Amino acid sequence: MPFFKAVLLDWVGTLIVPKWGPTRGRPRGASWIERSLTQVGRDASSAEVERISAALSAAGERSDVAEGWAGADLSAVAHRESYLRWVTAAGVDCALAEAMYEALCDAADNVFAVDVEPTLGALKAAGVKVAIVSDIHVDIRPSFAKACLDRHVDDFVLSFERGACKPDPAIFRTALERLGVQPHEALMVGDRSGHDGAAVEAGITTLLVPPLTHATEKRLHLVLAACGVAGC
């Protein structure tokens, strides 16, 4: 018998590679920035990508920008306002900022880690319920449908739909209620201690893994081991 009846999974950084995140051997968010530059017909050289990445990183450290992200994933409007504050502080022009935002919000254009499908399949086969619990301002179901992973997911608990963001325990409690399990019967898995780690405040055992930097990384066997479920 599995050790847990349900697994709550974070999305960005846990199941998919963040578009604005560390990139092996390249500046942070390199692929996202490069693609956006190309879309608007701009210089997409390594030097230009590095320049924009550095500007965004510096802007993100400003107190007004950092504080502006609080509650950003409660709605699409709030997220866009926070985003614009960030890119404006970084000196990104309107045309490029729009292209970057369109790419950032494209839920169907995301790269899942290679071990996501076998892990979700093994959990499903073992009778373990799965909910995706994410701070996000758009519907991510199309991403799972495109990857044919939606059949392995019992529910999606998304901040913009539920009116609560991590680390608010309310979003974890909502996931438990929707899956019909008690806190001690669930495992939360995520990559951010200050957000996903807050599940412990709701009485949920929590497993934290390093943020994904490349889709070839395999870390989710830890989830199966924690649940006492054999891998596929």
Side-chain angles (χ1 to χ4, degrees):
M1 289 289 292
F3 301 148
F4 297 101
K5 292 183 179 180
V7 172
L8 315 181
L9 289 163
D10 172 53
W11 188 49
V12 179
T14 301
L15 302 183
I16 66 167
V17 179
K19 291 175 181 175
W20 172 244
T23 305
R24 288 182 182 176
R26 302 191 69 194
R28 184 173 185 180
S31 297
W32 167 52
I33 297 169
E34 184 177 61
R35 169 184 169 182
S36 301
L37 284 168
T38 301
Q39 184 176 341
V40 295
R42 305 280 181 82
D43 170 24
S45 64
S46 297
E48 180 63 3
V49 170
E50 184 172 359
R51 182 190 70 79
I52 295 173
S53 176
L56 289 170
S57 293
E61 294 177 358
R62 287 177 36 167
S63 59
D64 59 324
V65 173
E67 293 168 3
W69 282 110
D73 286 311
L74 290 175
S75 71
V77 172
H79 188 275
R80 184 173 177 80
E81 290 176 350
S82 298
Y83 169 81
L84 290 176
R85 184 182 297 107
W86 176 40
V87 294
T88 298
V92 178
D93 65 84
C94 293
L96 180 57
E98 284 300 318
M100 289 169 61
Y101 195 63
E102 182 178 346
L104 187 66
C105 296
D106 186 354
D109 178 34
N110 288 286
V111 181
F112 283 90
V114 294
D115 58 351
V116 172
E117 195 283 329
T119 298
L120 294 182
L123 292 173
K124 187 74 170 183
V128 179
K129 295 181 179 180
V130 171
I132 306 302
V133 183
S134 177
D135 283 353
I136 196 72
H137 62 291
V138 295
D139 187 3
I140 62 175
R141 295 174 182 85
S143 183
F144 284 79
K146 181 180 179 181
C148 297
L149 296 173
D150 52 331
R151 67 186 187 278
H152 298 312
V153 179
D154 296 281
D155 212 336
F156 290 84
V157 181
L158 312 179
S159 60
F160 84 101
E161 294 179 338
R162 301 299 162 191
C165 288
K166 306 167 192 173
D168 187 344
I171 195 167
F172 302 112
R173 295 191 184 109
T174 296
L176 296 176
E177 291 171 2
R178 293 182 65 86
L179 293 181
V181 298
Q182 297 300 310
H184 68 276
E185 297 175 320
L187 173 70
M188 173 66 203
V189 182
D191 68 304
R192 296 187 296 172
S193 60
H195 292 73
D196 304 307
V200 299
E201 303 298 331
I204 303 171
T205 299
T206 303
L207 171 64
L208 295 176
V209 295
L212 274 171
T213 61
H214 198 277
T216 59
E217 294 176 13
K218 297 181 180 180
R219 307 157 310 154
L220 296 182
H221 62 281
L222 298 172
V223 178
L224 300 182
C227 292
V229 172
C232 294

